[in-house]
Amino acid sequence: GCTLFTRNSKGAQLTDAGVAFVDTATVILSTFEAGKERIARTSQAAKKIVLGVYLRLPAFLVETIAHYKALHEDTAIELKPLQPASLDESLLKGEFDVCLFQPLAAMRERGICYTELIREESMCLFRPGHPFESHEHIPAELLKGQRVVVEKTIYRLDACGQLRPFLENVIECDNEFDDSIMIRCMDESTVTVCTSEYGAAHCPPLAIRPFEEKLDISTGLLYKASDSDRLDEFVRFCVRAASNSQRAS
């Protein structure tokens, strides 16, 4: 053994061995506390799922998230807006755990997984009285020369490839409409959009027609391949909810 401190009339005093021991013990305690904090942060992060969303959240998914949180009270679901242009980088950097969007090009090569939830048909929207109104289905070739407004999320997709050869005068936006033709995904919000977002103060309700060339847009969950059981469980939960929602409709 060795003497760590001595006592005299002035009190206790560390020896050289005692000073070395205190220095070492201080480092050990500091490392231990830092480890505790890191474990706590990791545990807390594991109980939170950051979901990236662009523009809208389907009604069934709103209910699904509420149901999931009710069953997993220890897990928080944080909704965070995403930017399509940097979506893949944001996923790979860990800014999101999972994102609701369409499949990305070369995503598998980058370690990004995709699970489809719903398929929506893209429709042609226009003001009543437009020549297109006489058609039950709109041939894509009629889009040539027309001023066409498309949602940014649609135009950047490979799925729009069948229409792109006919899109000569395209405007990418998400909340503007005038005398142009518009291509928009058909979902539970479309009718509301036609009568409120573009209707009333802006223009009359819009006419809706399907394309002859059926154009389906896949929407699902994008996430980085990982060994997170919690994330895998959340994805499976959403898939079941989407399947039940489609059967109910």
Side-chain angles (χ1 to χ4, degrees):
C2 60
T3 302
L4 300 180
F5 61 91
T6 58
R7 292 182 182 277
N8 53 37
S9 58
K10 296 182 180 180
Q13 185 173 0
L14 289 172
T15 62
D16 290 342
V19 171
F21 175 80
V22 169
D23 289 344
T24 302
T26 300
V27 172
I28 293 173
L29 288 174
S30 177
T31 302
F32 175 73
E33 291 299 325
K36 282 176 58 180
E37 291 181 9
R38 183 176 179 182
I39 291 172
R41 287 196 302 270
T42 302
S43 176
Q44 188 175 30
K47 294 182 179 179
K48 181 174 73 172
I49 296 175
V50 180
L51 172 61
V53 180
Y54 183 67
L55 295 180
R56 64 187 177 88
L57 196 61
F60 86 88
L61 199 54
V62 175
E63 298 173 0
T64 299
I65 291 173
H67 188 198
Y68 184 88
K69 291 174 67 174
L71 296 175
H72 304 81
E73 296 181 354
D74 62 334
T75 302
I77 306 293
E78 178 185 343
L79 299 183
K80 190 174 177 181
L82 64 84
Q83 296 298 323
S86 57
L87 173 54
D88 49 354
E89 292 297 332
S90 297
L91 270 172
L92 295 173
K93 289 179 180 178
E95 296 176 16
F96 303 102
D97 294 308
V98 59
C99 293
L100 179 72
F101 204 66
Q102 288 81 33
L104 303 176
M107 56 186 178
R108 290 184 179 178
E109 292 83 348
R110 306 200 67 187
I112 296 176
C113 303
Y114 178 76
T115 299
E116 181 177 284
L117 295 182
I118 54 176
R119 295 191 72 85
E120 301 170 313
E121 184 177 359
S122 286
M123 308 289 278
C124 185
L125 283 68
F126 46 87
R127 291 192 184 191
H130 191 282
F132 280 13
E133 198 167 19
S134 62
H135 295 266
E136 291 187 6
H137 295 80
I138 308 299
E141 62 183 14
L142 290 185
L143 295 176
K144 282 189 173 182
Q146 297 284 342
R147 185 170 182 269
V148 180
V149 175
V150 295
E151 291 179 282
K152 294 176 182 177
T153 53
I154 293 179
Y155 189 64
R156 69 188 298 273
L157 300 177
D158 294 337
C160 198
Q162 352 175 13
L163 291 182
R164 281 188 183 175
F166 306 101
L167 303 180
E168 300 172 342
N169 185 11
V170 173
I171 301 170
E172 296 179 62
C173 71
D174 295 304
N175 58 1
E176 296 179 10
F177 192 81
D178 46 26
D179 290 324
S180 309
I181 305 301
M182 183 174 194
I183 301 174
R184 187 178 181 91
C185 282
M186 184 67 160
D187 62 8
E188 71 275 3
S189 68
T190 300
V191 175
T192 302
V193 167
C194 292
T195 57
S196 61
E197 184 179 347
Y198 305 126
H202 300 287
C203 69
L206 302 177
I208 304 174
R209 296 288 190 277
F211 288 100
E212 280 189 357
E213 301 81 359
K214 189 174 178 63
L215 176 62
D216 284 341
I217 301 296
S218 173
T219 299
L221 298 176
L222 288 157
Y223 48 97
K224 186 170 63 173
S226 71
D227 56 357
S228 171
D229 293 337
R230 189 178 298 267
L231 182 57
D232 290 342
E233 180 187 22
F234 177 74
V235 171
R236 290 194 299 269
F237 193 88
C238 291
V239 170
R240 288 195 298 270
S243 178
N244 293 337
S245 176
Q246 289 175 354
R247 284 200 296 267
S249 60

